[in-house]
Amino acid sequence: LDYRDMGGIVLPGMIDLHVHLRGLKLSYKEDEATSTRAAAASGITLVADMPNTMPPLRSKSAIDAKLAALRRMSLVDYAVYAGVPDEPEEARGLAELPIAGFKVYPEDLEERRGTLRRIARLHKLLILHAEHPVALKSIVEAEDTRAAMRGCWAELAGLMEVLDLGPARLHVTHASCPSTVLAAKKVGATVDATPHHLFYSLRGSDCGWRVNPPLRSKAERLSMLKLLAEGMVDALASDHAPHLLRERIDPLSCSPGFAWLDSWPLLAACLVASGTLSLQDYARLTSLNPARILGIDSVYGSLQPGMRANIVVIKLERWHRPARIYSKGENPIENIIEVCAALKAVIVGGTLVYLDGEFTGEKPETVNAIEYASTYLASSSPP
Ligand code: DOR
Ligand code: ZN
Ligand code: ZN
């Protein structure tokens, strides 16, 4: 079946589980307005933002400020993860907030046992006291990036204590190689993979190619694509990590990561155009499963009656470059923005925001997806 002959195809709005929208004191790299405009222009209608901001999202006051910025500026729906707080008392404060869960960084695990127990305890506390109990996952980086050049090294064994929460509460993000995917599935966690680990192999240690976790060998990348096609990867997530070009040149002060929000769902559509994924697989990886992982699939991630009206119409095409880029993030890798699909329309919360390559100028009412889902969870159960 060649979807390219079918004209417009309707899909549930894409959900990106792992983005760095920056903002606050890092707004020179990117902010909540530019990043979410880029997201909408590639069919993403919900983004989940990471807490490595300045200040970091580890306290109630920082998260309040972040949510206020998103409320004011976001063109799409949003969710935020909290970082692991230094003081247990802070966790109580976090429980009042509509957050998606905890992001656990390798640094959080450095003092292994004590820290892991603390994370599990905090997470349990959050579950017990949460006023918005829809999601609350611990989303972990399970690879030792410091051992970058020694190859992929899944650290899940060390995370077993976090599993004290139950593996369903654990999501492993940006798995860069097959052993991490398999380790995550073995313990019953969900796992995502990024476009860069699926589309690019390691080509030396040049700053322009640097990302955490690093790009891997061609053989590992092809195995990742195979696992994706076999249904072993639950979701695609971009790790949109925008930096300025001058931060991507000097090997000594090199900031890692690629800006993806303008393009990745339209690039991932190349896997449909080439027959690697079915359109159903694509919708599962870009929308349904991310909604399930966030615990908000009662109102997001599919096109059933009663869902929030986040809807995308795409048309599969041959390789081309999108006409415009909205993110402030500058990629040193030129061809990272080639894609295989064009957007016909994007609807956020029932408002048509994008039509045939142009923003309509309509401002949608965007919501914190965690709050929205917890409000409508009890009252509406879709057929
Ligand atoms: O490459 C990366 N960039 N990996 C991360 O984990 C962080 C991110 C960033 O924030 O720039
Ligand atoms: Zn990361
Ligand atoms: Zn990240």
Side-chain angles (χ1 to χ4, degrees):
L1 179 63
D2 191 344
Y3 294 109
R4 282 178 300 203
D5 297 334
M6 291 174 62
I9 298 166
V10 68
L11 287 167
M14 285 65 141
I15 300 174
D16 194 337
L17 280 176
H18 184 151
V19 300
H20 301 266
L21 303 181
R22 312 290 194 212
L24 306 170
K25 287 183 186 159
L26 294 175
S27 297
Y28 75 94
K29 288 180 193 263
E30 181 82 294
D31 62 46
E32 290 86 351
T34 50
S35 53
T36 57
R37 201 166 173 78
S42 70
I44 297 162
T45 55
L46 166 51
V47 287
D49 200 9
M50 286 293 162
N52 65 337
T53 46
M54 263 178 26
L57 305 184
R58 272 186 269 146
S59 64
K60 184 173 178 321
S61 59
I63 295 170
D64 277 338
K66 181 63 168 176
L67 288 174
L70 284 164
R71 215 173 294 126
R72 206 169 60 246
M73 288 190 251
S74 186
L75 198 63
V76 299
D77 291 348
Y78 49 86
V80 300
Y81 304 103
V84 179
D86 294 327
E87 302 298 330
E89 302 80 62
E90 293 264 33
R92 288 253 176 195
L94 299 187
E96 293 163 21
L97 298 170
I99 57 172
F102 278 128
K103 172 68 188 292
V104 183
Y105 283 95
E107 304 87 271
D108 296 320
L109 302 176
E110 248 150 38
E111 286 164 48
R112 286 211 176 253
R113 298 186 58 81
T115 317
L116 281 169
R117 271 210 207 96
R118 188 164 63 89
I119 293 167
R121 252 201 330 266
L122 289 176
H123 194 142
K124 271 190 178 155
L125 191 76
L126 215 60
I127 294 167
L128 272 176
H129 296 278
E131 287 178 18
H132 303 273
V134 289
L136 292 174
K137 285 238 181 187
S138 276
I139 165 166
V140 299
E141 306 206 339
E143 289 169 18
D144 186 342
T145 49
R146 290 154 301 181
M149 297 310 157
R150 280 194 269 138
C152 193
W153 185 0
E155 298 239 72
L156 279 171
L159 289 171
M160 290 310 281
E161 278 182 74
V162 180
L163 289 176
D164 190 26
L165 299 158
R169 291 287 186 176
L170 195 67
H171 176 74
V172 174
T173 194
H174 61 39
S176 70
C177 47
S179 55
T180 303
V181 174
L182 297 175
K185 298 315 281 183
K186 198 168 161 202
V187 297
T190 49
V191 60
D192 70 61
T194 70
H196 40 279
H197 293 115
L198 294 167
F199 282 90
Y200 294 96
S201 316
L202 180 65
R203 302 187 203 172
S205 56
D206 193 62
C207 171
W209 287 98
R210 223 174 282 171
V211 64
N212 280 334
L215 299 175
R216 306 294 182 180
S217 69
K218 185 167 183 196
E220 280 176 308
R221 181 174 71 80
L222 295 179
S223 304
M224 284 295 286
L225 277 173
K226 190 157 173 282
L227 288 173
L228 184 79
E230 288 168 358
M232 293 290 281
V233 175
D234 298 286
L236 295 176
S238 73
D239 199 5
H240 173 76
H243 301 286
L244 300 188
L245 209 49
R246 63 176 152 81
E247 301 171 306
R248 300 302 317 267
I249 291 167
D250 182 357
L252 294 177
S253 60
C254 185
S255 303
F258 304 112
W260 271 122
L261 279 178
D262 277 291
S263 63
W264 79 260
L266 307 176
L267 170 64
C270 298
L271 297 171
V272 180
S274 68
T276 305
L277 296 179
S278 69
L279 197 61
Q280 285 68 28
D281 291 336
Y282 176 85
R284 195 169 38 74
L285 287 161
T286 58
S287 193
L288 180 59
N289 283 352
R292 285 182 174 154
I293 290 164
L294 288 169
I296 56 174
D297 51 307
S298 59
V299 275
Y300 284 96
S302 59
L303 294 170
Q304 298 175 74
M307 294 284 125
R308 179 155 165 86
N310 285 3
I311 300 166
V312 162
V313 180
I314 67 165
K315 192 172 177 309
L316 290 194
E317 295 189 338
R318 303 198 181 278
W319 286 93
H320 67 280
R321 292 173 73 91
R324 281 198 60 180
I325 295 298
Y326 296 94
S327 168
K328 286 187 207 173
E330 295 174 305
N331 288 323
I333 310 304
E334 266 293 296
N335 57 356
I336 211 155
I337 48 170
E338 284 184 41
V339 298
C340 295
L343 276 182
K344 298 287 292 176
V346 180
I347 296 170
V348 178
T351 299
L352 181 67
V353 297
Y354 189 87
L355 184 65
D356 283 329
E358 303 280 347
F359 279 97
T360 60
E362 297 276 317
K363 176 85 180 84
E365 248 182 61
T366 59
V367 296
N368 178 339
I370 304 303
E371 210 164 30
Y372 183 88
S374 76
T375 305
Y376 294 105
L377 185 65
S379 54
S380 71
S381 49

